[in-house]
């Protein structure tokens, strides 16, 4: 019979092995997060470990802003962005997978405008948004540089880009990787908030 300590130990070992296997696999196979994890992405547990209001304020979202969420998935964060931008603002969320957006539509909260689109080719004009944000998305996109250049194109001059990452995500990058990617795409760092396991880098379009 295993003791509680042994059970805890083996759970940690299994999680670590799973993380290593999935991270190696992600280097070889690029595919969007499967839509069946939408329930986890938009769960109370997720909101507990990544509080939406905190992430959005770290991302620079303010009242009255025109906001775009890249890869909104099952809309864990977008309803909170709608509240934060208020009636004077506007929020649009997009995702490449219709199956993810369908899960947003099932919610009974106030939703943003939802669009099915690819981060490589955004269906918006230049200088449209005050703020663009994304949570655990950038590294999932095979060519993140092109996606960042698109974010830059649709942002207004002085606009803010929030990139949030979370250690549990198999595509998790270190802060310095995210910073380098943003800077390579012509952004300047405006702030870095949060710890190692759950951080946001806020950039500005100069
Ligand atoms: C790990 S999920 C995160 C979803 C949401 N941001 C969240 O934190 O709950 C990543 C999302 O990015 C989307 N995605 C991946 N590649 C994309 C692309 N090229 N364009 C738009 N969305 C993309 C996926 O469909 C998926 O919904």
């Amino acid at each position: 019979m295993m003791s509680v300590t042994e059970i805890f130990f083996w759970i940690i070992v299994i999680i670590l092995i799973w993380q290593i296997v999935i991270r190696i696999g992600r280097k070889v196979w690029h595919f969007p997060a499967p839509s069946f994890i939408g329930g986890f992405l938009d769960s109370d547990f997720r909101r507990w470990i990544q509080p939406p209001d905190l992430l959005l304020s770290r991302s620079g979202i303010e009242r009255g802003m025109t906001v775009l969420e890249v890869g909104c998935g099952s809309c864990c964060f977008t309803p909170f962005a709608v509240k934060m931008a208020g009636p004077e603002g506007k929020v649009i969320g997009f995702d490449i997978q219709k199956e993810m957006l369908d899960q947003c539509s099932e919610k009974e909260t106030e939703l943003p405008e939802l669009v099915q689109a690819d981060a490589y080719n955004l269906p918006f004009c230049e200088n449209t948004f005050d703020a663009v944000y994304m949570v655990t998305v950038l590294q999932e996109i095979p060519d993140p540089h092109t996606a960042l250049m698109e974010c830059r194109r649709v942002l207004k001059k002085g606009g803010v880009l929030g990139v949030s990452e979370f250690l549990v995500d198999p595509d998790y990058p270190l802060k310095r990787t995210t910073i380098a990617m943003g800077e390579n795409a012509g952004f300047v760092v405006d702030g870095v908030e949060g710890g190692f396991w759950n951080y946001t880098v806020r950039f500005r379009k100069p």
Side-chain angles (χ1 to χ4, degrees):
M1 189 78 175
M2 281 198 281
S3 68
V4 174
T5 317
E6 282 172 329
I7 292 171
F8 186 70
F9 171 79
W10 284 111
I11 288 175
I12 298 291
V13 169
I14 289 165
I15 290 173
L16 281 175
I17 292 171
W18 176 75
Q19 284 281 331
I20 290 166
V21 169
I22 204 160
R23 274 161 212 255
I24 292 170
R26 294 294 286 164
K27 303 270 175 237
V28 184
W29 297 290
H30 282 286
F31 53 87
S35 57
F36 65 76
I37 67 160
F40 166 73
L41 291 175
D42 184 30
S43 61
D44 289 342
F45 178 66
R46 173 88 188 288
R47 281 185 288 272
W48 177 63
I49 44 179
Q50 283 193 298
D53 285 340
L54 178 69
L55 253 76
L56 293 170
S57 65
R58 283 178 180 173
S59 301
I61 312 303
E62 289 173 12
R63 206 166 183 81
M65 280 184 162
T66 305
V67 180
L68 178 69
E69 178 170 356
V70 178
C72 60
S74 52
C75 285
C76 176
F77 299 99
T78 27
F80 293 87
V82 170
K83 277 198 202 109
M84 216 169 244
E88 319 89 294
K90 180 180 178 170
V91 179
I92 300 178
F94 80 89
D95 201 283
I96 199 165
Q97 299 185 82
K98 184 179 176 300
E99 298 76 13
M100 280 288 192
L101 297 173
D102 287 348
Q103 295 178 51
C104 298
S105 312
E106 288 160 12
K107 292 184 206 316
E108 285 170 9
T109 50
E110 202 183 339
L111 280 171
E113 193 180 318
L114 295 171
V115 180
Q116 187 181 2
D118 189 336
Y120 295 152
N121 190 12
L122 298 181
F124 309 109
C125 298
E126 285 176 22
N127 308 318
T128 302
F129 296 96
D130 301 300
V132 174
Y133 74 95
M134 59 182 95
V135 186
T136 60
V137 172
L138 187 59
Q139 302 297 327
E140 191 174 306
I141 301 174
D143 181 358
H145 181 73
T146 301
L148 285 171
M149 293 304 281
E150 269 297 86
C151 292
R152 189 165 170 230
R153 182 182 68 77
V154 300
L155 265 175
K156 294 177 186 169
K157 190 171 158 48
V160 67
L161 168 71
V163 180
S164 296
E165 300 292 352
F166 176 41
L167 185 61
V168 173
D169 180 4
D171 299 309
Y172 170 87
L174 294 173
K175 283 179 188 172
R176 62 168 180 265
T177 306
T178 302
I179 291 170
M181 281 185 167
E183 288 178 338
N184 283 343
F187 288 98
V188 290
V189 176
D190 184 54
V192 182
E193 293 185 56
F196 171 74
W197 71 288
N198 185 4
Y199 71 84
T200 301
V201 181
R202 194 175 51 255
F203 297 97
R204 292 248 171 223
K205 175 177 171 177

